[in-house]
Amino acid sequence: MFRLITGRPGPSGFGSASTAEQVTNGIDGSNLTAIVTGGASGIGLETARVLAMRNVHVVIAARNMEAADEAKQRILKDNNAARVDIEKLDLSSIRSVKAFADNFKALNLPLNILINNAGIMFCPFQLSGDGIEMQFATNHLGHFYLTNLLLDKMKETAKASGIQGRIVNLSSVAHLCPYKEGIRFHKINNKRSYQDKLAYGQSKLANILHANELSRRLQEEEANINVNSVHPGLIMTNLMRHSALLMRILRAFTCFLWKNVPQGAATTCYVALHPRLKGVTGKYFHDCNEYKPSKLARDEALARNLWDFSNNLVNATLKT
């Protein structure tokens, strides 16, 4: 808590006050290609901008293509040498995820980095077009399926280039506050007992469990890809549109805990690009330093169950 409030650097040399530009200073990503989901606004846009600044070829995946194009033009205005593409992706739709993956593969680009950044937060109960609770569908299931669809491309890229691939799942400290059982496998779509904040915590717990289980599987295959999860910090962005008043009140009393957008994108960029993270996998990062997540987030059996549940849910959706 002391480091969070003061911005004092941790073992990595960076801390809560570090910005995305600072943690990537001197890194050349000219031989890298990255996908950033939700890269049209907030910390996703800042992540895309800084990766492009470091010469990474960035593909912004976004639901709103007008906003994505505005984001691209904003990046190019500051850096006319930036390599930025945009592709449509609605993570709440399994078929949209499949279409995005197909479109990306058609570009014949390598894929070194996948940043699963997009998400929604504290929304009222609603089902996705596929009939799945929206926070779980968008924050976890869409990214789970997207990652699986792009894994072979990442493995091919890592093998051909000799450069370790990196997958970054954006989680949250909210993973500490899911439903009591962690993941409510048999009540995912239960409207009657739905609680928006616990459902958000459940989806963020799922992001860590997904990263940990994927990391374990890739290590077994000896694939040259690392997978980690991050908490970006408390940042006032459009993610909080469903609880803006509550967040403003909370921020008034906890102003010392909040970050600006450049600081909020720092941990993502650090884990995605910094050479110090080579070979580091299955970990959880906060303020650019490794932290131990909750007991539920470290539950290997829960992670395996979530993997199987997610696979079954995707397959069932594709059959309808």
Side-chain angles (χ1 to χ4, degrees):
M1 181 61 73
F2 176 76
R3 285 208 299 261
L4 175 63
I5 295 172
T6 62
R8 182 177 178 181
S12 69
F14 304 112
S16 61
S18 301
T19 67
E21 288 191 21
Q22 290 171 341
V23 304
T24 59
N25 184 43
I27 296 175
D28 179 17
S30 56
N31 55 347
L32 304 175
T33 299
I35 292 174
V36 181
T37 70
S41 64
I43 60 175
L45 171 54
E46 177 67 2
T47 298
R49 185 189 71 83
V50 172
L51 292 184
M53 175 186 288
R54 303 307 177 209
N55 302 316
V56 177
H57 185 170
V58 178
V59 178
I60 293 175
R63 182 176 56 83
N64 185 329
M65 291 304 287
E66 182 178 346
D69 187 59
E70 290 176 1
K72 175 180 177 178
Q73 298 311 316
R74 179 175 168 182
I75 293 171
L76 291 173
K77 182 178 179 181
D78 294 336
N79 177 11
N80 58 18
R83 295 177 293 161
V84 183
D85 290 306
I86 59 175
E87 292 287 341
K88 185 173 179 60
L89 171 63
D90 179 355
L91 284 157
S92 71
S93 166
I94 292 300
R95 285 174 175 78
S96 176
V97 173
K98 177 67 164 59
F100 170 86
D102 289 343
N103 290 339
F104 175 79
K105 291 173 185 176
L107 296 174
N108 291 317
L109 293 172
L111 181 58
N112 306 92
I113 302 167
L114 173 61
I115 299 178
N116 291 321
N117 164 83
I120 57 174
M121 181 180 184
F122 298 170
C123 64
F125 180 84
Q126 62 183 116
L127 297 178
S128 70
D130 297 324
I132 302 164
E133 188 276 307
M134 189 62 81
Q135 292 195 83
F136 188 82
T138 303
N139 296 348
H140 165 65
L141 194 66
H143 282 126
F144 172 84
Y145 186 43
L146 175 67
T147 303
N148 280 355
L149 290 175
L150 296 174
L151 265 182
D152 284 345
K153 171 60 71 174
M154 293 198 72
K155 291 175 184 177
E156 291 169 8
T157 301
K159 186 174 182 179
S161 66
I163 301 171
Q164 186 174 61
R166 299 192 183 189
I167 299 171
V168 184
N169 278 4
L170 264 76
S171 179
S172 168
V173 70
H175 85 273
L176 294 167
C177 301
Y179 293 106
K180 183 178 180 180
E181 59 268 55
I183 308 295
R184 302 199 312 172
F185 295 112
H186 304 296
K187 296 181 179 179
I188 287 295
N189 295 336
N190 191 311
K191 181 178 181 179
R192 189 172 182 178
S193 60
Y194 177 80
Q195 296 185 52
D196 57 359
K197 295 170 184 61
L198 297 184
Y200 180 70
Q202 172 181 247
S203 70
K204 295 290 99 180
L205 171 62
N207 292 148
I208 300 178
L209 292 169
H210 170 220
N212 291 350
E213 176 63 10
L214 179 56
S215 172
R216 184 189 69 78
R217 288 168 179 257
L218 291 173
Q219 285 180 287
E220 281 188 353
E221 294 179 31
E222 298 185 350
N224 191 22
I225 301 172
N226 72 19
V227 192
N228 294 294
S229 50
V230 307
H231 167 51
L234 292 172
I235 311 107
M236 187 64 75
T237 68
N238 287 337
L239 182 65
M240 297 180 176
R241 60 188 176 277
H242 294 292
S243 55
L245 179 59
L246 173 63
M247 290 299 107
R248 288 191 182 97
I249 294 171
L250 178 63
R251 187 175 184 180
F253 291 96
T254 60
C255 58
F256 52 88
L257 298 176
W258 291 69
K259 297 181 178 184
N260 57 36
V261 169
Q263 293 168 339
T267 304
T268 302
C269 290
Y270 173 74
V271 175
L273 275 189
H274 206 285
R276 188 179 293 127
L277 272 292
K278 182 179 180 181
V280 177
T281 189
K283 305 299 182 182
Y284 171 72
F285 291 84
H286 179 202
D287 296 336
C288 301
N289 289 279
E290 183 183 333
Y291 282 81
K292 183 182 289 187
S294 71
K295 184 177 180 180
L296 281 170
R298 292 178 278 119
D299 187 326
E300 294 181 3
L302 184 61
R304 288 193 293 272
N305 289 340
L306 175 64
W307 184 279
D308 292 339
F309 176 78
S310 302
N311 257 334
N312 291 338
L313 200 52
V314 167
N315 291 335
T317 300
L318 289 171
K319 290 178 182 177
T320 59

